[in-house]
Each structure stands twice: as C-alpha cells, then as structure tokens.
Amino acid sequence: MKRTVIFGGSFDPLHIGHENIIRNLADRFDEVIVVPTYVSPFKQAEKAASPELRLAMLRSANFPDNVIISDYEIGNSGCSYSINTVMNFASEDRKLYFAVGGEAVRTLDKWYQAEKLKRMCVFYAILRPGYDKRRDVENVEWADFCGDDISSSEVKAALGIGYGKSLVSPGVYKIIEENGLYDGYNFVGKAYERFGMKPQRIEHSFNATIEGIKLAKRYDANIKDVTVALLMHDIGKYVTVDMLKDMKIPVPDCGNLPEECRHAEYGAAICKYVYNLSDEIVNAVKYHTTCCPSMDKLTKIVALADFIEPGRKFDGVEKIREAAKNNLDEAVVMMLKSTIDYLRAQNKYVAPITIETYRKLGGKL
Ligand SMILES: [Fe+2]
Ligand SMILES: [Fe+2]
C-alpha cells in the first residue's frame, strides 16, 4: 500500500513556504499529489493569476519524482469540495492522507461531508512555527515538521518593493515577471525611489506590513488597504516642505506637531495628491503616529503594526504584541499609554489628539 498525501492550495503565487512543505511531504510519503484549487475570479479582492499560470509555477519547481502536480480541481472549474478530490484519488493500493494547516484541525467537523471524509483519509496537520498546539484528535496525524510563516499576501507586498526574489523560487519569479502578475503594489517601489526612502526605512515598512497583514486576517480587515497603508506609512519620512512645494503637492498645516510626527502629515498628502489613494488609507497614514479619536479599524491596525513590528525593541513591547493577538482595542490603548508615558518621561510634547484618543478608548491617566 502506498502512503499518498494530497496537498491543496491556491498557490497564488507558489512561494518558498509551499515548496518547503511539498519537499518535506515528499520525504515522508511515497507519493505527494499537489492540487491547485480553482479560484473564482469573482471572489477575489486581488486579481488571481490564471489557473494555467498557477499550474506553470508548480511545474517550474524542481520537485522530487514522487510529487505529482494535478489539474483535477482546476479542470472542474467550480466549487470543489475536498471530499470530491479525495474520492478522485482513492484507490485500493493507496492509503490516503490529506494535508491541512494546524489551525484547520478545530474546524474539520464543519467540512462538507466530514464523516465520509474522515473514513476515507487521515488528516496530516502541519503547524506554523511558534504554534505548538498539537493535541490528540481522532483521525489527525501531526506532521513532525513546521510550515514556514509566509503568506501569499506577504509575497505580493514583497514583489511590489523588490523584496520578492527571496520569497519565490527563480522559475516562479520568471513567470511572475514575464506575465506582469501581482503588480498592484509596484507603484510603491517607485514611490520609495522618488521620495528617497532609505533601505532601513523600507525594511521597517515591510516588517510593519507583514505584521499588519497578520492583524488584518485576525480582525477581518481589508488586506489590500492594510498593505498599501503600511507600505506607504513612512513615505513622508525624508520629505521637506520645499520638496512638497517643488512637486506641487499642497503642504499640510501641521500646527504644533513635533518634527518627528510631521512625516505622517507629509505622507498623507503624498498618498492623497500623488497617488490618489482612498480617504481611509490617507487617514491611516496621517494618524499612524498620533492616532485620532475617530480612528477606524484600518488606522488602528496600521498604527499598531508600526508600533509592534519585529524590529521594535522597547520595554513592554512583548505585552502589547500578546494583547494584539486577542483584542485590537486593548492593544491600541496599551500602545497609546506606552507612547504617552514615554514622551512624558522624556519631557517631550504629547499631542493633545493622542491623549484624547487614549481617553476615548477608555484609557485612564
Ligand atoms: Fe512613522
Ligand atoms: Fe513607521
């Protein structure tokens, strides 16, 4: 009997995280069947690559001989339940496994025809790094390796700013380039050049974006808006009033905002007048340092991701990171408290709008 594992996904695009999982599966099973799913062109917030190109990405990777790339679900071009795929590959000489993410284990009972599915295959659960929550569940076998903590949304953001090459293999990169795929954030890379963003600042912006994408998924926010706002949040960092005037960008009135907060106002003006971004994104950039009492979910996520991205190291950041996993508002209040306390300890100006926001969200001074 062959031990066969089915690994499905949209692979939009195929990234090194997927490739590592497929290689690990190939080491542990007699046969790996990789099944790219059909992606409805109508359901996507971001344009998906065509089924043919997603298949081409998988075929471009150098997988071991026991990896089979299947167009079964793509060929069905419609709603495809896992049970259909499992039934399609079932045979007398195969013991079937179905690879799932570790988090999916909680919801397996809600899958379509769950009972039948359980009878036909064993779930092979792969955890993300740092989520060691293996527990005994009927019909689930836990993989002895972890997946990488990379998401397709993150890869798309990286491609926009020239960071993509480290996240996809060369063959996949070539397909992306040749077909002009995932170009939604390419304007950001050009903006970085135009407004003199320094490499360190770009790295910080990217780290904040990755953090923001995680928060967006956790709190059900628009991933595309979060990505654009965070990639662009510090675009005003190296901009002067004279530069804005030269570029015919209306100079914002910064009132008595301290120097270190003005880049947010300049950045918002750039987002609005040069790139015509939405009011929500412009506001998120504008208030990413001071916050504001009427801040929406997008602005909260942008401010918080900027504050807790992995490069930030200050006393108390870990507690805020923990809070951000459970309660967005609570984490924002902690962030504001930390900012106010820090500025006061340094005898620095605290923007009244920051204190107002802190009180509005229930914080006490
Ligand atoms: Fe900033
Ligand atoms: Fe920042």
Side-chain angles (χ1 to χ4, degrees):
M1 217 51 153
K2 276 190 288 192
R3 289 173 76 250
T4 300
V5 63
I6 298 171
F7 181 51
S10 60
F11 306 110
D12 185 30
L14 174 73
H15 57 64
I16 52 165
H18 300 128
E19 291 198 22
N20 287 341
I21 289 177
I22 293 170
R23 289 202 175 86
N24 270 304
L25 292 173
D27 280 348
R28 287 159 179 79
F29 289 86
D30 297 316
E31 194 176 48
V32 184
I33 305 178
V34 180
V35 190
T37 51
Y38 177 76
V39 180
S40 162
F42 306 108
K43 275 191 186 163
Q44 290 287 306
E46 292 164 323
K47 202 171 52 174
S50 70
E52 294 73 26
L53 288 174
R54 290 186 289 120
L55 267 176
M57 290 183 212
L58 282 161
R59 289 185 173 137
S60 78
N62 247 336
F63 292 128
D65 289 343
N66 60 340
V67 174
I68 299 161
I69 312 294
S70 162
D71 64 358
Y72 171 73
E73 287 197 16
I74 278 176
N76 274 352
S77 44
C79 175
S80 185
Y81 291 111
S82 306
I83 184 72
N84 298 342
T85 306
V86 167
M87 279 166 64
N88 180 63
F89 292 110
S91 70
E92 300 240 306
D93 65 336
R94 278 175 174 153
K95 178 172 168 57
L96 280 181
Y97 291 77
F98 194 86
V100 293
E103 295 101 288
V105 167
R106 277 183 291 126
T107 56
L108 289 176
D109 284 340
K110 297 199 177 79
W111 287 26
Y112 181 66
Q113 297 204 353
E115 282 308 313
K116 190 171 177 189
L117 198 53
K118 272 191 210 166
R119 284 196 300 275
M120 295 194 71
C121 66
V122 174
F123 292 102
Y124 192 71
I126 303 165
L127 282 166
R128 283 190 286 146
Y131 291 81
D132 197 9
K133 285 185 189 147
R134 291 179 174 85
R135 55 202 168 85
D136 284 339
V137 181
E138 186 203 347
N139 221 45
V140 171
E141 194 175 302
W142 290 92
D144 61 346
F145 66 93
C146 279
D148 289 307
D149 207 359
I150 301 176
S151 70
S152 295
S153 304
E154 187 182 323
V155 176
K156 288 175 192 167
L159 286 163
I161 60 169
Y163 276 23
K165 268 192 175 161
S166 58
L167 296 176
V168 298
S169 61
V172 172
Y173 192 77
K174 198 166 162 238
I175 292 170
I176 292 173
E177 285 261 283
E178 283 176 359
N179 295 279
L181 301 177
Y182 319 115
D183 58 357
Y185 307 120
N186 284 9
F187 78 95
V188 178
K190 291 180 189 132
Y192 284 175
E193 269 179 48
R194 183 165 174 194
F195 294 96
M197 283 278 278
K198 298 193 174 146
Q200 259 168 293
R201 185 59 45 185
I202 296 176
E203 194 167 329
H204 154 68
S205 300
F206 183 59
N207 286 340
T209 305
I210 296 172
E211 192 63 47
I213 290 170
K214 286 183 191 148
L215 292 170
K217 287 182 179 167
R218 202 171 295 147
Y219 296 109
D220 198 23
N222 182 308
I223 291 178
K224 211 173 160 192
D225 285 354
V226 166
T227 302
V228 171
L230 276 160
L231 287 175
M232 292 292 280
H233 81 283
D234 276 342
I235 195 72
K237 199 79 186 180
Y238 308 102
V239 168
T240 61
V241 168
D242 286 343
M243 276 168 75
L244 291 175
K245 283 182 185 160
D246 282 350
M247 293 179 179
K248 309 259 180 306
I249 298 168
V251 178
D253 174 14
C254 292
N256 46 6
L257 257 193
E259 200 53 47
E260 59 268 31
C261 296
R262 294 188 174 208
H263 72 280
E265 290 279 354
Y266 300 162
I270 292 168
C271 289
K272 182 176 165 101
Y273 296 108
V274 182
Y275 296 101
N276 224 350
L277 299 177
S278 70
D279 291 347
E280 289 79 17
I281 293 175
V282 170
N283 271 333
V285 172
K286 181 174 161 120
Y287 294 112
H288 83 263
T289 60
T290 60
C291 296
C292 74
S294 62
M295 69 204 286
D296 59 7
K297 188 158 60 174
L298 174 65
T299 307
K300 285 174 188 169
I301 287 176
V302 169
L304 188 62
D306 180 33
F307 204 71
I308 63 171
E309 61 96 344
R312 301 286 197 198
K313 290 175 179 61
F314 57 86
D315 273 353
V317 69
E318 271 314 321
K319 275 194 175 159
I320 305 176
R321 284 188 184 126
E322 271 314 301
K325 286 181 186 158
N326 305 308
N327 188 320
L328 182 62
D329 280 344
E330 200 181 301
V332 170
V333 170
M334 287 167 78
M335 167 183 80
L336 290 164
K337 171 100 169 65
S338 163
T339 303
I340 295 167
D341 287 350
Y342 171 80
L343 291 171
R344 285 189 170 165
Q346 306 265 320
N347 268 328
K348 283 188 173 166
Y349 175 82
V350 186
I353 198 173
T354 304
I355 294 171
E356 207 186 314
T357 310
Y358 177 65
R359 289 207 169 111
K360 167 97 191 285
L361 292 175
K364 290 188 176 62
L365 286 171

